[in-house]
C-alpha cells in the first residue's frame, strides 16, 4: 500500500539531546512537509521541501533542521536549541507544491516528550 | 500572518443529529480543504474544494467553498459515533503559499 510512514510513534528526549524523526513516503510525491501540533492548536509548518536537495523554512523553523537527500525521505532533527520540543509531529507529502494547490496527505505522527 | 477562524471550537451532539462547522478568513483562498483527525493519528483528507461556490459531497459529508472565497463550511448529516474526532479546515495562503490550518472543531457524538 502507498503511504507515509513516520517512526517512531513515541520518542523521548533528554535535555540537551538532539533527536531525529523519520518520514518515508512511497507515493512518488515531490513535496514533503513537517508540521508541529500542540493541544488546541492548528498545525504549524516547520520545514518543507519541493524537490530533492532543496528545503525551505516554514513558520517555526528555529531549533529544527531537515535534509532531503532522497525523494522518499525527509527526516526532521529536533535540536537542543528547541526549548519546548514536546509536541505531536506530523509529516505530509503532496504531488507538487504551489502551482496546483495539491492536497497534502499525512503520516500518523510521532509524539515527542522530554524526560 | 493569515489566519483561519474555525468554529465552533467543540460540539457535543446526539447520534443521528446533523452537524455544521465553518471557517472564515480575512483574505481570499483559492483552495479549501477539510481534514478529520482521530486521536493519535494524522489528519485524513475528507474533501477538497477548488472553485468559489463549489459544493462537494463525500458520503454523509458536504462542504462548500464560499462565493466570497473567504469562507467554507462542512456539514455532516445523521452523525454516528465513528464521526468523533477533530475536524480541520485548511487553505493555501500566506506569504509563501503554504497550507494554513484552522484550530479545529472537536466533535463528540453521544450514542
Amino acid at each position: 500500500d502507498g503511504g507515509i510512514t513516520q517512526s517512531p510513534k513515541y520518542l523521548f528526549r533528554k535535555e540537551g539531546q538532539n533527536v531525529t524523526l523519520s518520514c518515508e513516503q512511497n507515493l512518488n510525491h515531490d513535496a514533503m512537509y513537517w508540521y508541529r501540533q500542540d493541544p488546541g492548536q492548528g498545525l504549524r509548518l516547520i520545514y518543507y521541501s519541493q524537490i530533492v536537495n532543496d528545503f525551505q523554512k516554514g513558520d517555526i523553523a528555529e531549533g529544527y533542521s531537515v535534509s532531503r537527500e532522497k525523494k522518499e525521505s525527509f527526516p526532521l532533527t529536533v535540536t537542543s536549541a528547541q526549548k519546548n520540543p514536546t509536541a505531536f509531529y506530523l509529516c505530509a507529502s503532496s504531488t507538487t507544491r504551489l502551482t496546483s494547490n495539491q492536497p497534502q496527505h499525512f503520516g500518523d505522527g510521532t509524539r515527542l516528550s522530554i524526560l | 500572518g493569515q489566519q483561519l477562524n474555525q468554529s465552533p471550537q467543540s460540539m457535543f451532539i446526539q447520534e443521528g443529529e446533523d452537524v455544521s462547522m465553518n471557517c472564515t478568513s480575512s483574505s481570499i483562498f483559492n483552495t479549501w480543504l477539510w481534514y478529520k483527525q482521530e486521536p493519535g493519528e494524522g489528519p485524513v483528507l475528507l474533501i477538497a474544494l477548488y472553485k468559489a461556490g463549489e459544493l462537494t459531497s463525500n458520503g454523509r459529508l458536504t462542504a462548500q467553498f464560499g462565493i466570497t472565497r473567504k469562507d467554507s463550511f462542512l456539514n455532516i448529516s445523521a452523525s454516528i459515533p465513528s464521526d468523533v474526532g477533530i475536524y480541520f479546515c485548511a487553505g493555501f495562503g500566506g506569504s509563501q503559499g503554504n497550507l494554513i490550518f484552522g484550530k479545529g472543531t472537536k466533535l463528540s457524538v453521544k450514542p
Side-chain angles (χ1 to χ4, degrees), chain B residues 34-46:
Chain B
W34 284 94
Y35 288 89
K36 178 188 177 186
Q37 185 179 29
E38 298 188 17
E41 298 183 7
V44 174
L45 181 68
L46 298 173

Side-chain angles (χ1 to χ4, degrees), chain B residues 3-97:
Chain B
Q3 290 186 337
L4 292 182
N5 297 309
Q6 187 171 350
S7 65
Q9 190 173 11
S10 61
M11 302 181 75
F12 297 86
I13 62 168
Q14 198 77 29
E15 182 177 1
E17 289 183 3
D18 296 342
V19 172
S20 184
M21 59 191 79
N22 69 81
C23 268
T24 60
S25 171
S26 57
S27 51
I28 288 172
F29 284 93
N30 293 320
T31 300
W32 284 95
L33 306 174
W34 284 94
Y35 288 89
K36 178 188 177 186
Q37 185 179 29
E38 298 188 17
E41 298 183 7
V44 174
L45 181 68
L46 298 173
I47 293 177
L49 302 161
Y50 297 102
K51 290 183 184 177
E54 180 180 354
L55 184 73
T56 298
S57 294
N58 178 6
R60 293 177 296 105
L61 278 62
T62 301
Q64 185 158 28
F65 192 146
I67 57 172
T68 65
R69 296 165 65 190
K70 292 183 179 181
D71 62 344
S72 177
F73 71 75
L74 175 71
N75 287 343
I76 305 173
S77 62
S79 59
I80 59 178
S82 62
D83 289 333
V84 164
I86 302 177
Y87 292 79
F88 289 99
C89 62
F92 285 96
S95 59
Q96 301 178 64

Side-chain angles (χ1 to χ4, degrees), chain A residues 79-100:
Chain A
T79 75
S80 57
Q82 172 49 245
K83 297 306 178 189
N84 184 24
T86 297
F88 191 49
Y89 290 88
L90 287 159
C91 178
S93 70
S94 64
T95 53
T96 58
R97 190 186 166 278
L98 288 181
T99 56
S100 57

Side-chain angles (χ1 to χ4, degrees), chain A residues 3-4 20-34 47-56 65-77 91-97:
Chain A
I4 301 170
T20 297
L21 285 61
S22 170
C23 178
E24 303 277 332
Q25 54 99 359
N26 60 4
L27 300 168
N28 199 33
H29 284 172
D30 287 319
M32 297 186 74
Y33 314 80
W34 274 105
Y47 268 98
Y48 62 94
S49 168
Q50 299 182 67
I51 197 168
V52 174
N53 292 322
D54 179 72
F55 49 82
Q56 306 293 330
S65 66
V66 293
S67 63
R68 186 88 186 274
E69 298 177 0
K70 298 187 299 182
K71 187 175 184 178
E72 302 79 19
S73 179
F74 190 40
L76 172 74
T77 297
C91 178
S93 70
S94 64
T95 53
T96 58
R97 190 186 166 278

Side-chain angles (χ1 to χ4, degrees), chain A residues 36-44 60 84-89, chain B residues 103:
Chain A
R36 170 181 172 136
Q37 186 176 28
D38 295 285
Q41 300 290 322
L43 281 64
R44 291 184 291 166
I60 55 165
N84 184 24
T86 297
F88 191 49
Y89 290 88
Chain B
K103 292 187 177 181

